[in-house]
Amino acid sequence: FERCTEIQGMALPHTLAGLDVAGRAQTGTGKTAAFLISIFTRLLAENPERAPHQPFALCIAPTRELAIQIEHDAALIGKYCGLRTLAVYGGMDYDRQRNHIAAGVDLVAATPGRLLDYVQKKAIDLSKVKVMVIDEADRMLDMGFIPDVRRIISRLCRPEGRQTLLCGATLDQTIMERAKNWMR
């Protein structure tokens, strides 16, 4: 990177300071890089104690393609950080994903359905998540994912103990109203 995009320049000072942020910008403007840089910076600085099946950061996304893209971007941005990222979604070998979680992951990018399946089977513990990202929040909170998002958030620590980031192309007042209880 030579310089920040507009959304990165506006978001990074706040996200790096540990504040909750709702970022609205069009696709391709660097929202993913902004939240990944914040997550990796915080994780490398804090390096908190947690069990292998307790990720530091969680990013939920509406589609498997987006979860895979986040995992790919994390691999590129964090190439020399030694951090482990995993995309968790349906249609992929269930036991293979579960084994990766058990071996230890720092960031999980997941679709809600598969993530909740692992939560119910106690394969993943979300209680130590320090950064929660709802990517494409406009789609997530408009497409019938609201009950799943609520169930996921109920497994996290309280908003005071975590950083919550919302990203999307169209974060309107309705979306912000739905998310206000999840953010500081």
Side-chain angles (χ1 to χ4, degrees):
F1 295 100
E2 292 182 21
R3 61 186 161 280
C4 291
T5 64
E6 184 177 6
I7 187 68
Q8 292 166 347
M10 292 173 69
L12 282 168
H14 302 290
T15 59
L16 290 170
L19 300 174
D20 289 358
V21 170
R24 180 179 65 206
Q26 293 304 312
T27 302
T29 56
K31 295 183 299 289
T32 303
F35 71 70
L36 289 173
I37 289 166
S38 296
I39 289 168
F40 293 165
T41 300
R42 185 167 172 191
L43 178 55
L44 291 169
E46 294 179 15
N47 195 22
E49 289 292 319
R50 53 200 164 82
H53 71 292
Q54 295 175 320
F56 177 84
L58 172 66
C59 180
I60 55 174
T63 65
R64 77 174 71 183
E65 292 79 15
L66 186 54
I68 292 167
Q69 183 63 47
I70 293 165
E71 179 186 44
H72 178 262
D73 290 352
L76 292 174
I77 291 170
K79 185 174 183 177
Y80 301 104
C81 295
L83 304 175
R84 296 156 303 197
T85 303
L86 178 66
V88 172
Y89 53 90
M92 177 65 176
D93 186 311
Y94 187 89
D95 290 330
R96 183 171 175 242
Q97 286 180 350
R98 188 177 62 206
N99 291 339
H100 279 287
I101 293 167
V105 292
D106 299 303
L107 167 65
V108 172
T111 57
R114 179 58 64 98
L115 178 64
L116 285 169
D117 193 23
Y118 286 131
V119 167
Q120 288 177 305
K121 292 190 168 61
K122 299 190 184 333
I124 192 168
D125 175 4
L126 303 178
S127 67
K128 301 288 185 184
V129 167
K130 294 296 180 192
V131 182
M132 166 67 174
V133 179
I134 303 176
D135 202 5
E136 294 199 18
D138 43 354
R139 291 179 60 196
M140 291 291 293
L141 302 179
D142 247 1
M143 293 178 54
F145 286 108
I146 295 171
D148 287 346
V149 172
R150 284 187 179 135
R151 288 193 355 240
I152 291 165
I153 289 175
S154 74
R155 300 298 185 137
L156 305 174
C157 65
R158 299 190 47 78
E160 299 80 28
R162 72 168 187 274
Q163 182 178 28
T164 304
L165 309 173
L166 302 181
C167 300
T170 57
L171 298 179
D172 61 21
Q173 190 58 38
T174 303
I175 300 300
M176 294 308 300
E177 205 48 45
R178 288 180 182 154
K180 73 179 180 183
N181 292 328
W182 307 330
M183 300 179 77
R184 294 174 281 151

PDB file of all heavy atoms in Angstrom, residues 158-176:
ATOM      1  N   ARG A 158     -19.676  -9.251  26.097  1.00  0.00           N
ATOM      2  CA  ARG A 158     -20.501  -8.044  25.977  1.00  0.00           C
ATOM      3  C   ARG A 158     -19.803  -6.996  25.100  1.00  0.00           C
ATOM      4  O   ARG A 158     -18.584  -7.019  24.955  1.00  0.00           O
ATOM      5  CB  ARG A 158     -20.783  -7.476  27.363  1.00  0.00           C
ATOM      6  CG  ARG A 158     -21.564  -8.477  28.233  1.00  0.00           C
ATOM      7  CD  ARG A 158     -22.072  -7.895  29.525  1.00  0.00           C
ATOM      8  NE  ARG A 158     -22.735  -6.623  29.428  1.00  0.00           N
ATOM      9  CZ  ARG A 158     -24.002  -6.423  29.000  1.00  0.00           C
ATOM     10  NH1 ARG A 158     -24.720  -7.434  28.612  1.00  0.00           N
ATOM     11  NH2 ARG A 158     -24.521  -5.218  28.980  1.00  0.00           N
ATOM     12  N   PRO A 159     -20.566  -6.069  24.518  1.00  0.00           N
ATOM     13  CA  PRO A 159     -19.968  -5.049  23.643  1.00  0.00           C
ATOM     14  C   PRO A 159     -18.812  -4.276  24.278  1.00  0.00           C
ATOM     15  O   PRO A 159     -17.873  -3.885  23.584  1.00  0.00           O
ATOM     16  CB  PRO A 159     -21.142  -4.115  23.327  1.00  0.00           C
ATOM     17  CG  PRO A 159     -22.351  -4.963  23.480  1.00  0.00           C
ATOM     18  CD  PRO A 159     -22.027  -5.937  24.580  1.00  0.00           C
ATOM     19  N   GLU A 160     -18.840  -4.098  25.592  1.00  0.00           N
ATOM     20  CA  GLU A 160     -17.773  -3.364  26.274  1.00  0.00           C
ATOM     21  C   GLU A 160     -16.445  -4.110  26.203  1.00  0.00           C
ATOM     22  O   GLU A 160     -15.377  -3.505  26.351  1.00  0.00           O
ATOM     23  CB  GLU A 160     -18.129  -3.120  27.750  1.00  0.00           C
ATOM     24  CG  GLU A 160     -19.374  -2.287  27.953  1.00  0.00           C
ATOM     25  CD  GLU A 160     -20.684  -3.079  27.795  1.00  0.00           C
ATOM     26  OE1 GLU A 160     -20.713  -4.303  28.050  1.00  0.00           O
ATOM     27  OE2 GLU A 160     -21.674  -2.454  27.397  1.00  0.00           O
ATOM     28  N   GLY A 161     -16.493  -5.416  25.998  1.00  0.00           N
ATOM     29  CA  GLY A 161     -15.282  -6.221  25.976  1.00  0.00           C
ATOM     30  C   GLY A 161     -14.768  -6.567  24.592  1.00  0.00           C
ATOM     31  O   GLY A 161     -13.801  -7.309  24.457  1.00  0.00           O
ATOM     32  N   ARG A 162     -15.426  -6.039  23.585  1.00  0.00           N
ATOM     33  CA  ARG A 162     -14.992  -6.346  22.216  1.00  0.00           C
ATOM     34  C   ARG A 162     -15.165  -5.111  21.333  1.00  0.00           C
ATOM     35  O   ARG A 162     -15.907  -4.191  21.647  1.00  0.00           O
ATOM     36  CB  ARG A 162     -15.780  -7.515  21.638  1.00  0.00           C
ATOM     37  CG  ARG A 162     -17.214  -7.173  21.296  1.00  0.00           C
ATOM     38  CD  ARG A 162     -17.916  -8.246  20.466  1.00  0.00           C
ATOM     39  NE  ARG A 162     -19.198  -7.762  20.053  1.00  0.00           N
ATOM     40  CZ  ARG A 162     -20.315  -7.835  20.754  1.00  0.00           C
ATOM     41  NH1 ARG A 162     -20.310  -8.419  21.933  1.00  0.00           N
ATOM     42  NH2 ARG A 162     -21.441  -7.337  20.287  1.00  0.00           N
ATOM     43  N   GLN A 163     -14.496  -5.163  20.211  1.00  0.00           N
ATOM     44  CA  GLN A 163     -14.629  -4.136  19.184  1.00  0.00           C
ATOM     45  C   GLN A 163     -15.555  -4.706  18.106  1.00  0.00           C
ATOM     46  O   GLN A 163     -15.392  -5.855  17.686  1.00  0.00           O
ATOM     47  CB  GLN A 163     -13.263  -3.815  18.596  1.00  0.00           C
ATOM     48  CG  GLN A 163     -13.283  -2.740  17.555  1.00  0.00           C
ATOM     49  CD  GLN A 163     -11.877  -2.440  17.042  1.00  0.00           C
ATOM     50  OE1 GLN A 163     -11.000  -3.303  17.048  1.00  0.00           O
ATOM     51  NE2 GLN A 163     -11.676  -1.216  16.593  1.00  0.00           N
ATOM     52  N   THR A 164     -16.519  -3.914  17.673  1.00  0.00           N
ATOM     53  CA  THR A 164     -17.457  -4.346  16.643  1.00  0.00           C
ATOM     54  C   THR A 164     -17.345  -3.420  15.447  1.00  0.00           C
ATOM     55  O   THR A 164     -17.377  -2.196  15.593  1.00  0.00           O
ATOM     56  CB  THR A 164     -18.908  -4.353  17.176  1.00  0.00           C
ATOM     57  OG1 THR A 164     -18.960  -5.194  18.338  1.00  0.00           O
ATOM     58  CG2 THR A 164     -19.875  -4.871  16.128  1.00  0.00           C
ATOM     59  N   LEU A 165     -17.190  -4.025  14.271  1.00  0.00           N
ATOM     60  CA  LEU A 165     -17.055  -3.270  13.033  1.00  0.00           C
ATOM     61  C   LEU A 165     -18.132  -3.712  12.060  1.00  0.00           C
ATOM     62  O   LEU A 165     -18.313  -4.903  11.833  1.00  0.00           O
ATOM     63  CB  LEU A 165     -15.669  -3.512  12.423  1.00  0.00           C
ATOM     64  CG  LEU A 165     -14.473  -3.305  13.361  1.00  0.00           C
ATOM     65  CD1 LEU A 165     -13.186  -3.746  12.690  1.00  0.00           C
ATOM     66  CD2 LEU A 165     -14.393  -1.861  13.811  1.00  0.00           C
ATOM     67  N   LEU A 166     -18.844  -2.760  11.509  1.00  0.00           N
ATOM     68  CA  LEU A 166     -19.836  -3.032  10.470  1.00  0.00           C
ATOM     69  C   LEU A 166     -19.309  -2.466   9.167  1.00  0.00           C
ATOM     70  O   LEU A 166     -18.811  -1.341   9.135  1.00  0.00           O
ATOM     71  CB  LEU A 166     -21.178  -2.349  10.772  1.00  0.00           C
ATOM     72  CG  LEU A 166     -21.904  -2.665  12.059  1.00  0.00           C
ATOM     73  CD1 LEU A 166     -23.213  -1.883  12.111  1.00  0.00           C
ATOM     74  CD2 LEU A 166     -22.165  -4.138  12.203  1.00  0.00           C
ATOM     75  N   CYS A 167     -19.426  -3.244   8.108  1.00  0.00           N
ATOM     76  CA  CYS A 167     -18.999  -2.781   6.785  1.00  0.00           C
ATOM     77  C   CYS A 167     -20.125  -3.026   5.802  1.00  0.00           C
ATOM     78  O   CYS A 167     -20.813  -4.046   5.890  1.00  0.00           O
ATOM     79  CB  CYS A 167     -17.772  -3.554   6.312  1.00  0.00           C
ATOM     80  SG  CYS A 167     -16.366  -3.400   7.395  1.00  0.00           S
ATOM     81  N   GLY A 168     -20.285  -2.130   4.874  1.00  0.00           N
ATOM     82  CA  GLY A 168     -21.291  -2.329   3.848  1.00  0.00           C
ATOM     83  C   GLY A 168     -21.325  -1.180   2.860  1.00  0.00           C
ATOM     84  O   GLY A 168     -20.732  -0.128   3.087  1.00  0.00           O
ATOM     85  N   ALA A 169     -22.031  -1.410   1.780  1.00  0.00           N
ATOM     86  CA  ALA A 169     -22.160  -0.389   0.744  1.00  0.00           C
ATOM     87  C   ALA A 169     -23.299   0.575   1.039  1.00  0.00           C
ATOM     88  O   ALA A 169     -23.282   1.718   0.595  1.00  0.00           O
ATOM     89  CB  ALA A 169     -22.357  -1.039  -0.624  1.00  0.00           C
ATOM     90  N   THR A 170     -24.289   0.111   1.799  1.00  0.00           N
ATOM     91  CA  THR A 170     -25.468   0.949   2.062  1.00  0.00           C
ATOM     92  C   THR A 170     -25.930   0.772   3.501  1.00  0.00           C
ATOM     93  O   THR A 170     -26.952   0.147   3.757  1.00  0.00           O
ATOM     94  CB  THR A 170     -26.627   0.584   1.112  1.00  0.00           C
ATOM     95  OG1 THR A 170     -26.928  -0.802   1.276  1.00  0.00           O
ATOM     96  CG2 THR A 170     -26.292   0.888  -0.332  1.00  0.00           C
ATOM     97  N   LEU A 171     -25.193   1.311   4.444  1.00  0.00           N
ATOM     98  CA  LEU A 171     -25.591   1.235   5.847  1.00  0.00           C
ATOM     99  C   LEU A 171     -26.567   2.364   6.146  1.00  0.00           C
ATOM    100  O   LEU A 171     -26.160   3.472   6.466  1.00  0.00           O
ATOM    101  CB  LEU A 171     -24.371   1.329   6.767  1.00  0.00           C
ATOM    102  CG  LEU A 171     -23.336   0.227   6.642  1.00  0.00           C
ATOM    103  CD1 LEU A 171     -22.186   0.484   7.602  1.00  0.00           C
ATOM    104  CD2 LEU A 171     -23.958  -1.133   6.900  1.00  0.00           C
ATOM    105  N   ASP A 172     -27.845   2.065   6.047  1.00  0.00           N
ATOM    106  CA  ASP A 172     -28.845   3.108   6.287  1.00  0.00           C
ATOM    107  C   ASP A 172     -29.258   3.111   7.763  1.00  0.00           C
ATOM    108  O   ASP A 172     -28.784   2.320   8.574  1.00  0.00           O
ATOM    109  CB  ASP A 172     -30.052   2.934   5.362  1.00  0.00           C
ATOM    110  CG  ASP A 172     -30.777   1.609   5.561  1.00  0.00           C
ATOM    111  OD1 ASP A 172     -30.648   0.983   6.627  1.00  0.00           O
ATOM    112  OD2 ASP A 172     -31.488   1.198   4.627  1.00  0.00           O
ATOM    113  N   GLN A 173     -30.166   4.004   8.098  1.00  0.00           N
ATOM    114  CA  GLN A 173     -30.603   4.174   9.482  1.00  0.00           C
ATOM    115  C   GLN A 173     -31.250   2.901  10.029  1.00  0.00           C
ATOM    116  O   GLN A 173     -31.084   2.577  11.199  1.00  0.00           O
ATOM    117  CB  GLN A 173     -31.573   5.369   9.585  1.00  0.00           C
ATOM    118  CG  GLN A 173     -31.872   5.764  11.010  1.00  0.00           C
ATOM    119  CD  GLN A 173     -30.625   6.131  11.794  1.00  0.00           C
ATOM    120  OE1 GLN A 173     -29.700   6.741  11.278  1.00  0.00           O
ATOM    121  NE2 GLN A 173     -30.587   5.758  13.062  1.00  0.00           N
ATOM    122  N   THR A 174     -31.952   2.153   9.206  1.00  0.00           N
ATOM    123  CA  THR A 174     -32.592   0.908   9.648  1.00  0.00           C
ATOM    124  C   THR A 174     -31.541  -0.104  10.084  1.00  0.00           C
ATOM    125  O   THR A 174     -31.676  -0.743  11.135  1.00  0.00           O
ATOM    126  CB  THR A 174     -33.457   0.309   8.514  1.00  0.00           C
ATOM    127  OG1 THR A 174     -34.418   1.289   8.114  1.00  0.00           O
ATOM    128  CG2 THR A 174     -34.158  -0.954   8.961  1.00  0.00           C
ATOM    129  N   ILE A 175     -30.495  -0.249   9.301  1.00  0.00           N
ATOM    130  CA  ILE A 175     -29.411  -1.176   9.635  1.00  0.00           C
ATOM    131  C   ILE A 175     -28.735  -0.732  10.924  1.00  0.00           C
ATOM    132  O   ILE A 175     -28.465  -1.543  11.818  1.00  0.00           O
ATOM    133  CB  ILE A 175     -28.375  -1.258   8.485  1.00  0.00           C
ATOM    134  CG1 ILE A 175     -29.028  -1.759   7.190  1.00  0.00           C
ATOM    135  CG2 ILE A 175     -27.183  -2.113   8.886  1.00  0.00           C
ATOM    136  CD1 ILE A 175     -29.650  -3.112   7.267  1.00  0.00           C
ATOM    137  N   MET A 176     -28.452   0.555  11.050  1.00  0.00           N
ATOM    138  CA  MET A 176     -27.789   1.065  12.243  1.00  0.00           C
ATOM    139  C   MET A 176     -28.667   0.879  13.484  1.00  0.00           C
ATOM    140  O   MET A 176     -28.158   0.575  14.564  1.00  0.00           O
ATOM    141  CB  MET A 176     -27.410   2.541  12.062  1.00  0.00           C
ATOM    142  CG  MET A 176     -26.359   2.764  10.976  1.00  0.00           C
ATOM    143  SD  MET A 176     -24.885   1.731  11.163  1.00  0.00           S
ATOM    144  CE  MET A 176     -24.306   2.265  12.751  1.00  0.00           C
TER     145      MET A 176
END
